Amino acid sequence: QLQASGGGLVQAGDSLRLSCAASGRTFFNYLGWFRQAPGKEREFVAAIRWSSGDTYYVDSVKGRFTISRDNAKTTVYLQMNSLKPEDTAVYYCATRYAMAYSTGARDYSRWGQGTQVTVSS
């Protein structure tokens, strides 16, 4: 089970930290964050390879968002700084078991419930 939390309503330029806590069957190779804005496809935001800590980002968030993990808590964080109105979306965390990295939502098999992030201008 994946439990996402930390969303909210903020102003442009503010920061938020999202959390994704994994419980139950916690083996996976990647944990990723995706987001979906109204009327748009779900898009990849960031991912972390659990074993190595390698991180991956979509270009639009590089330098503003940071993904990190707490091994002991099996929790992944997404620190979002300098938020923009275009970051407004429901954010989901998801896990991938395969060894190869992927940004495709269909390649992630277990999903959290989503947390709303709204950035006002």
Side-chain angles (χ1 to χ4, degrees):
Q1 182 179 0
L2 298 176
Q3 183 71 36
S5 62
L9 171 63
V10 297
Q11 293 186 329
D14 286 350
S15 299
L16 276 176
R17 188 177 80 157
L18 305 184
S19 299
C20 179
S23 61
R25 186 173 142 209
T26 57
F27 174 76
F28 48 84
N29 280 302
Y30 297 90
L31 193 145
W33 284 97
F34 292 77
R35 64 188 180 187
Q36 188 165 19
K40 294 189 176 182
E41 296 287 321
R42 190 168 297 189
E43 68 165 346
F44 171 82
V45 176
I48 188 165
R49 184 167 183 170
W50 196 259
S51 59
S52 64
D54 290 344
T55 58
Y56 310 86
Y57 300 93
V58 67
D59 286 347
S60 60
V61 308
K62 284 181 181 177
R64 300 189 298 123
F65 291 12
T66 303
I67 189 170
S68 62
R69 74 191 193 287
D70 182 328
N71 288 18
K73 297 180 180 179
T74 322
T75 298
V76 171
Y77 304 99
L78 185 67
Q79 177 67 43
M80 306 187 295
N81 298 330
S82 302
L83 282 161
K84 303 176 180 180
E86 50 263 44
D87 295 317
T88 295
V90 177
Y91 283 69
Y92 299 89
C93 57
T95 56
R96 173 170 167 77
Y97 296 93
M99 292 295 290
Y101 163 63
S102 173
T103 61
R106 66 181 63 186
D107 294 327
Y108 288 71
S109 55
R110 189 159 62 122
W111 291 81
Q113 84 286 8
T115 184
Q116 176 71 48
V117 173
T118 303
V119 185
S120 63
S121 58

